[in-house]
Amino acid sequence: MWKGTTLMTTTRNTKRKDKARVVLRKGESQRKDGKYDFRWTSPDGKRHSIYAPTLEELRERKKACN
């Protein structure tokens, strides 16, 4: 190991988190402006997305779509 270098962590076994360190589920992400986004592909191949200001509201909207 060289002096002054840091090891890179792999993302394979780490969970994705938002700015508040809340674990995000599959398809969920946080935008730079702090809003949350959920994206998915329907069985016919079309891409869809839902936006919400809070993670709780996003998950409620996600339930309403299913």
Side-chain angles (χ1 to χ4, degrees):
M1 186 71 43
W2 293 286
K3 191 174 185 179
T5 61
T6 58
L7 294 174
M8 294 182 63
T9 60
T10 59
T11 58
R12 175 172 251 172
N13 292 328
T14 58
K15 297 184 180 195
R16 293 178 311 109
K17 298 180 181 180
D18 66 356
K19 292 178 184 178
R21 297 190 176 189
V22 176
V23 177
L24 298 172
R25 297 176 186 166
K26 183 180 177 181
E28 295 177 345
S29 61
Q30 188 175 29
R31 301 181 347 184
K32 286 189 175 188
D33 63 0
K35 294 181 182 178
Y36 291 89
D37 180 28
F38 175 68
R39 297 181 185 187
W40 76 96
T41 304
S42 60
D44 61 354
K46 292 183 180 179
R47 298 278 296 157
H48 303 276
S49 67
I50 300 172
Y51 298 96
T54 64
L55 189 57
E56 293 80 21
E57 189 175 336
L58 178 74
R59 290 180 177 169
E60 288 175 13
R61 288 183 185 182
K62 196 165 56 167
K63 284 181 187 178
C65 286
N66 293 337

